[in-house]
């Protein structure tokens, strides 16, 4: 077997240098923005749910009690910020439209 010199593997040298001409470079994902928005929306809906739960428990209103529990719990199970906003808005509208 012949000894290979450094220049005998041009493809390997191109890959090591970070330039691969036949491979497309992956586009960077924009994870940070949606992750931050998920944290912010989750915190906002959880605080609103905590206030609604406390007020519903004090005033003996079951719609505020249940709506507050839903608002506090659902951010743990919904990872997408748009869906989180829709579910939270629907819960708030439901609490407003269906009083006891």
């Amino acid at each position: 077997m012949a000894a290979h010199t450094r220049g005998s593997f041009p493809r390997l040298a191109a890959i090591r240098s970070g330039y691969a001409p036949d491979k497309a470079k992956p586009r960077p994902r924009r994870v940070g923005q949606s992750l931050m928005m998920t944290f912010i929306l989750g915190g906002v809906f959880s605080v609103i749910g905590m206030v609604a739960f406390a007020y519903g428990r004090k005033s003996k209103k079951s719609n505020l009690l249940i709506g507050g529990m839903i608002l506090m719990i659902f951010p743990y199970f919904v990872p997408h910020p748009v869906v989180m906003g829709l579910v939270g808005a629907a819960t708030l509208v439901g609490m407003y439209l269906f009083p006891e």
Side-chain angles (χ1 to χ4, degrees):
M1 190 185 281
H4 295 286
T5 61
R6 192 177 254 291
S8 64
F9 293 109
R11 181 171 168 77
L12 185 59
I15 291 173
R16 283 186 183 156
S17 70
Y19 175 73
D22 59 341
K23 287 187 176 180
K25 292 189 177 187
R27 294 188 340 203
R29 292 178 57 195
R30 296 173 65 173
V31 175
Q33 291 176 350
S34 86
L35 185 64
M36 184 58 72
M37 186 57 89
T38 303
F39 284 143
I40 291 170
L41 282 176
V44 167
F45 284 129
S46 293
V47 168
I48 293 172
M50 190 170 48
V51 170
F53 181 80
Y55 183 71
R57 199 170 76 187
K58 185 182 284 190
S59 65
K60 307 276 193 247
K61 293 185 178 181
S62 63
N63 66 331
L64 292 175
L65 197 67
I66 293 170
M69 284 179 22
I70 291 171
L71 284 173
M72 285 189 292
I73 293 172
F74 90 90
Y76 291 107
F77 301 106
V78 181
H80 198 273
V82 173
V83 177
M84 186 179 292
L86 291 174
V87 171
T91 305
L92 288 171
V93 167
M95 287 171 35
Y96 179 74
L97 290 179
F98 301 111
E100 278 190 274

